[in-house]
Amino acid sequence: MGQDPESSADIPAFDLEEATVNDLQAAMAAGRLTSRAITAKYLERIDALDRRGPTLRYVIETNPDALSIAEELDAERKAKGPRGPLHGLPVLVKDNIDTADRMTTTAGSLALEGHIAARDAFLVARLRAAGAVILGKANLSEWSNFRSGRSSSGWSARGGQARNPYALDRSPSGSSSGPAGAVSANLCPVAVGTETNGSIVSPSSCCGVVGIKPTVGLVSRAGIIPISSSLDTAGPIARTVADAAALLGAMTGVDSDDDATIASRDRVGTDYTKCLKADGLKGARIGVWRAGGFDPKVLPILESAVAAIRSAGAAVIDAVEVPTYGKLGDPLSHVLRYEFKATLNAYLRALGPDARVRTLEDVIAFNEKHRDREMPFFGQEIFLEAQERRGLDSPTYLRSRDEARRLAREEGLHAALDTQGLDALVALTNGPAGLTDLVNGDRGTGGTSTLCAVAGCPSITVPAGDVFGLPVGISFMGRAFDEATLVRLAYAFEQLTHARKPPRFLPTLDLPL
C-alpha cells in the first residue's frame, strides 16, 4: 500500500480506529489484546501517519520505554487486576508538560532542546498512578502560541508545522494542536493538552474531537511550562465525552506545589463517568450565547445544536447577553504579559545552573542568535513586550488582574447564569479551520473561549457539525468547579447528535465548483 499524501485512500487500515477507553479495556479484560499490543499498534500508527504518509507532525517524540511500561502493566493486571479505566492505555501529553523519563520537555523550542525534567508534572504522576502509559510528547504551537501575534498555530521549531487531519493544507489550530490532532487521527486513545485561552477547545473543535478546559485549580499546573498563573490549566482531549471524563478524573488532585488546587480539595477523586447520562439535558436550563463574530455559514450549526438541546427536554433561553465580554481585552493583555515573565522565569530558574536558558531574557537572546531556525516565519514581539514588564507587585498588574477576573466571572459568566437560573451557556466554540499561512500567520474565524478562560471557569467543546467537511464544535460553559454538570450536558448532546466524523486526510478541501 502506497504512502502518497495526495490520496486519503493510501491511509493504512487501523484495527483500533475510533476505539474508546471502554472498548480497549474490554478487549484487555477478555484477553483479546494486551497493553503492549495496544501500545505497539499506536506506535505503528504514529510511524505510518505522523512520520510518513500525510506527515501530520503531531508527535515530537515517542517514549522509548512505552512498550516495557506496558508489559509491566500487563503483568500487574494479570496478578492484581486493573487499577482503573486508564490501566494500560497509552496517553500522549503536550510537550510543555514535564515527564521524568527519557523524553524531553521543550514547549517546542530549541532553547530547551535536550532538557529532561527532574520529576514528573503532578498530573503525569497522577496518570502513571492510574496505570496510564505515557506514549510520547505531542507537538504544539511553540511556547503555547505566546511568542508572536503573527504566529502559525501548530508550528514549533522542534516539531514543524502540524496539519489539520480533515484537510492537510489547513490549520489544526493551537496551541494544543498536537494532542487534538493526534486524538482525531487515532494516533492515541486520549491526550492531555493545556489552555490559557482557547488552546484546548479551539484545536479540539477544529480537529473534530472533545476537549475539556477545567476550572483553574482542578488540575495542578506544577511541572507545566507556564504562561499565566491566573488562566493556565491542563485538560483532557478525547474522541468521546466518556473518554474525556475518564481522563479528567485521573488528573485531578490537591498539590502543595500549586496553591490554586486547594479550592478543589472536595473534588479530588471525582469520578466524572458517573455523570454520563443520555437524558442529561432533560429539565436543564441552557442559555444560548450568540457571540464570537462567526461567518453566516457557521450559524446553522448552532441552530441545529439548539434544536437538538430543546428536543432533549431542556429549557432554552435564547440570546443571553454577557455585557462585560467586550471589556476584557485591555486588562487581559496586561495580565498575560506580567504573569508570563514572572512564571516563566520561575520555571526556568528551577532547571538549575547548567540549563541553557534560565530567564525570559535568555530565551529572547537565544531566539535572536538562532533566528534562522527559531524565527524563520514570525518573531517574538510578545516576548519583548513581556520582558519590559515589572514584577507582580506592579499596581498596573494588580488592577488588571482583579478587573479581568471580576468582569469575566462575577459580572460576566456567573452573572449571566445566575440572572436566568441557567445550568450552562452554549455557544459555537470557533469557526472551521483556516488555511495554514506561514507568511502572514493565523487568520481568526471567530471564537468564544476568552470568557471561560479569563473567568477561570470550565468549558467543554463537543463536535456539532461541519462546514464543507471541516468540523465545528459547540461549547458548554459553566460555573467554577461545576465540571460534573457540563459533562452530563455534553454527553447527552453527543449521544443525541453523534456529529463526529473521522478525518479523511484530504490534501485540500473537496469544494463544490
Side-chain angles (χ1 to χ4, degrees):
M1 182 175 290
Q3 293 292 327
D4 181 2
E6 295 302 309
S7 172
S8 62
D10 292 328
I11 303 299
F14 186 51
D15 57 6
L16 299 183
E17 185 88 13
E18 300 294 284
T20 66
V21 166
N22 284 343
D23 292 338
L24 296 172
Q25 288 296 344
M28 287 189 284
R32 296 192 304 272
L33 286 171
T34 63
S35 175
R36 190 191 192 285
I38 291 169
T39 302
K41 287 176 183 290
Y42 282 114
L43 288 171
E44 291 167 3
R45 175 80 165 178
I46 290 170
D47 181 65
L49 272 66
D50 200 72
R51 305 292 196 262
R52 297 182 289 127
T55 55
L56 300 171
R57 299 188 185 278
Y58 297 150
V59 182
I60 286 182
E61 59 184 304
T62 56
N63 187 350
D65 299 316
L67 293 176
S68 62
I69 292 170
E71 288 176 355
E72 292 171 2
L73 290 164
D74 283 330
E76 181 183 321
R77 177 188 293 271
K78 186 175 181 180
K80 302 178 181 179
R83 302 182 194 180
L86 294 185
H87 188 110
L89 294 190
V91 179
L92 278 172
V93 299
K94 191 174 174 181
D95 184 42
N96 60 343
I97 301 173
D98 285 345
T99 57
D101 47 28
R102 292 198 284 164
M103 293 188 292
T104 59
T105 304
T106 69
S109 171
L110 300 175
L112 290 176
E113 193 171 33
H115 161 57
I116 295 178
R119 62 173 177 164
D120 283 336
F122 183 86
L123 75 86
V124 171
R126 295 284 293 170
L127 292 177
R128 294 197 204 272
V133 179
I134 306 301
L135 184 64
K137 293 295 188 73
N139 197 11
L140 70 163
S141 307
E142 187 176 306
W143 295 109
S144 295
N145 226 5
F146 199 67
R147 205 185 79 189
S148 169
R150 296 180 176 273
S151 64
S152 175
S153 287
W155 183 90
S156 73
R158 288 199 67 222
Q161 178 63 58
R163 311 169 83 178
N164 190 288
Y166 291 84
L168 300 177
D169 59 351
R170 289 187 174 259
S171 171
S173 189
S175 70
S176 300
S177 45
V183 167
S184 186
N186 284 269
L187 304 190
C188 59
V190 292
V192 179
T194 66
E195 173 158 333
T196 304
N197 181 2
S199 292
I200 289 174
V201 296
S202 181
S204 294
S205 176
C206 285
C207 293
V209 293
V210 174
I212 300 180
K213 198 290 285 190
T215 305
V216 172
L218 185 66
V219 177
S220 171
R221 287 86 53 86
I224 301 176
I225 298 174
I227 290 178
S228 165
S229 53
S230 296
L231 279 69
D232 286 354
T233 184
I237 297 174
R239 289 183 292 276
T240 68
V241 174
D243 288 358
L247 184 56
L248 178 62
M251 293 167 59
T252 62
V254 174
D255 178 12
S256 60
D257 290 327
D258 185 354
D259 290 343
T261 62
I262 294 173
S264 73
R265 58 186 175 273
D266 296 331
R267 296 165 177 83
V268 176
T270 298
D271 181 359
Y272 293 99
T273 63
K274 292 180 179 178
C275 308
L276 304 174
K277 302 181 185 301
D279 64 349
L281 281 163
K282 187 175 182 179
R285 287 178 60 82
I286 308 296
V288 182
W289 187 39
R290 297 181 177 276
F294 295 101
D295 186 280
K297 291 190 293 295
V298 185
L299 299 182
I301 295 175
L302 179 60
E303 303 307 330
S304 178
V306 169
I309 290 168
R310 186 179 283 113
S311 74
V316 174
I317 293 81
D318 209 340
V320 172
E321 298 291 336
V322 185
T324 57
Y325 185 61
K327 303 176 183 178
L328 296 176
D330 187 59
L332 176 59
S333 176
H334 287 300
V335 168
L336 293 179
R337 283 155 178 77
Y338 275 98
E339 290 187 350
F340 178 68
K341 180 181 180 180
T343 57
L344 183 65
N345 282 345
Y347 177 91
L348 294 175
R349 281 196 302 269
L351 301 185
D354 296 329
R356 181 183 292 124
V357 290
R358 300 200 64 208
T359 64
L360 173 58
E361 186 175 19
D362 291 346
V363 176
I364 291 170
F366 179 93
N367 289 344
E368 286 293 344
K369 183 176 181 180
H370 302 276
R371 173 175 284 273
D372 58 332
R373 297 175 64 198
E374 271 292 350
M375 299 194 292
F377 306 115
F378 53 89
Q380 56 179 345
E381 65 273 11
I382 296 178
F383 276 15
L384 295 172
E385 292 167 5
Q387 179 59 25
E388 293 175 356
R389 297 305 196 269
R390 295 163 50 200
L392 297 185
D393 57 351
S394 162
T396 299
Y397 164 70
L398 295 171
R399 181 176 61 253
S400 298
R401 182 197 62 187
D402 294 345
E403 181 183 11
R405 177 56 62 91
R406 172 177 53 80
L407 291 172
R409 184 185 283 195
E410 288 81 10
E411 298 178 12
L413 178 59
H414 280 195
L417 295 170
D418 294 343
T419 299
Q420 300 280 359
L422 303 174
D423 294 292
L425 291 183
V426 67
L428 288 166
T429 305
N430 56 3
L435 288 166
T436 296
D437 187 346
L438 287 166
V439 176
N440 298 299
D442 292 338
R443 295 184 182 181
T445 58
T448 55
S449 65
T450 302
L451 181 61
C452 284
V454 183
C457 291
S459 64
I460 301 180
T461 183
V462 186
D466 66 88
V467 176
F468 297 123
L470 294 172
V472 174
I474 63 163
S475 286
F476 291 88
M477 308 174 181
R479 295 172 179 84
F481 295 109
D482 199 14
E483 280 80 2
T485 295
L486 298 189
V487 167
R488 171 171 58 84
L489 300 173
Y491 179 77
F493 174 80
E494 176 191 58
Q495 298 309 297
L496 198 64
T497 57
H498 294 286
R500 169 169 162 80
K501 299 175 183 177
R504 296 169 58 200
F505 310 103
L506 298 175
T508 191
L509 282 188
D510 185 15
L511 294 172
L513 298 177

